Amino acid sequence: MRIFVIASACATLAGCMTAGETVSFKASNPQQQALMRDGQPALVSRQKSSLVLVRPASRQLQANGRPVFVVGINNLSRQRVEFRVGQVEAIQHAAGSDFEMKIVTYEMLVQEEKNRQVAAALLTGVAAGANAYSAARAGYGGYTTPSGRTGTFYSPTAAAIAQGNAAAQNDAMISATIETGQRNMAVLDQAVIKDNTLLPGEWYGGQLHLAPPTDQGGAQKSYTIIVTVGSDRHTIDVAQGPAGA
């Protein structure tokens, strides 16, 4: 099913970098069950018309980075139900207070990738210009005779070879930049969860990206994710802290 292969695309997204922290789940009501899926913690939450399965998208989360979860949704009813990313909430609990954690939507991630591609294109352009300039100067050289006389010369052959090499390098750099951007866009389109209408019995899922929780001085961070499916509200309690703690 789609939701169980989503995590494999995670390695190409910035939010899926591995370093330092892990998560655990706590069942908050009798309709929930904390369990392990392929060696990773997960939580199943069942309500009247839907079932939600949540697990981290990678075995470790980047410290102070965005937590990324794979969310699977099953419509248990005989009617279609609506899922809207805008109705998902995330709330951090710290020092006796609650703080909103922003949901990073597909549209936000696409805009970030577009901005990254613009920056990459500018850097590629600078590098290509430097290559072209160096190639244009490659045919020029200097000499010194045994008597000490100096001079300059120009070699059309050397210039042509250098310019050909520079053109090939520039084409490769530009192609690599374009291909990386297209690949990242494709991964986002396939992996990130979006608004969806679930037909009776249908499964749907994808990656849910959250803004980083506020650092607690290395201590465990606690937050709640609320996933609304139709009229059902699934409340998922998450604890995130250093690996091995």
Side-chain angles (χ1 to χ4, degrees):
M1 288 184 293
R2 179 178 184 270
I3 59 169
F4 297 120
V5 299
I6 290 297
S8 64
C10 179
T12 60
L13 297 178
C16 298
M17 295 173 61
T18 59
E21 295 190 335
T22 58
V23 301
S24 61
F25 300 98
K26 180 181 179 181
S28 60
N29 59 66
Q31 285 72 47
Q32 292 187 350
Q33 182 179 3
L35 40 79
M36 297 294 290
R37 298 290 293 180
D38 191 28
Q40 294 192 67
L43 185 132
V44 177
S45 175
R46 183 180 182 122
Q47 294 287 333
K48 180 179 179 181
S49 61
S50 62
L51 181 147
V52 168
L53 170 65
V54 180
R55 56 169 283 186
S58 58
R59 297 189 183 279
Q60 289 190 1
L61 305 182
Q62 183 182 13
N64 301 316
R66 290 174 178 169
V68 183
F69 296 90
V70 175
V71 178
I73 304 169
N74 184 210
N75 179 6
L76 302 176
S77 73
R78 297 182 179 180
Q79 306 293 327
R80 72 179 198 176
V81 296
E82 303 294 331
F83 167 74
R84 296 290 180 264
V85 177
Q87 293 181 323
V88 178
E89 304 170 61
I91 303 166
Q92 182 177 2
H93 315 293
S97 300
D98 294 338
F99 305 91
E100 179 186 6
M101 295 171 62
K102 192 178 185 67
I103 307 299
V104 185
T105 65
Y106 168 75
E107 291 76 16
M108 294 175 184
L109 292 168
V110 166
Q111 187 58 55
E112 288 181 358
E113 175 58 25
K114 288 180 178 178
N115 293 342
R116 188 205 64 77
Q117 289 182 24
V118 169
L122 291 174
L123 292 174
T124 300
V126 171
N131 270 350
Y133 176 78
S134 296
R137 301 294 303 170
Y140 293 92
Y143 64 88
T144 301
T145 66
S147 63
R149 190 176 57 149
T150 61
T152 60
F153 67 88
Y154 177 73
S155 170
T157 301
I161 292 173
Q163 289 168 5
N165 290 339
Q169 292 172 357
N170 289 346
D171 287 345
M173 282 195 303
I174 292 169
S175 295
T177 299
I178 293 172
E179 289 171 5
T180 298
Q182 292 175 339
R183 183 169 58 251
N184 288 349
M185 285 294 192
V187 169
L188 287 174
D189 184 62
Q190 179 186 23
V192 180
I193 200 165
K194 310 171 191 67
D195 294 351
N196 198 73
T197 299
L198 283 81
L199 300 178
E202 184 178 11
W203 276 94
Y204 173 71
Q207 292 177 0
L208 177 68
H209 294 240
L210 309 180
T214 302
D215 183 63
Q216 300 300 304
Q220 189 177 73
K221 290 163 273 196
S222 174
Y223 51 94
T224 299
I225 303 170
I226 302 170
V227 179
T228 300
V229 183
S231 60
D232 293 346
R233 282 170 60 87
H234 299 265
T235 301
I236 296 100
D237 291 330
V238 184
Q240 178 180 330

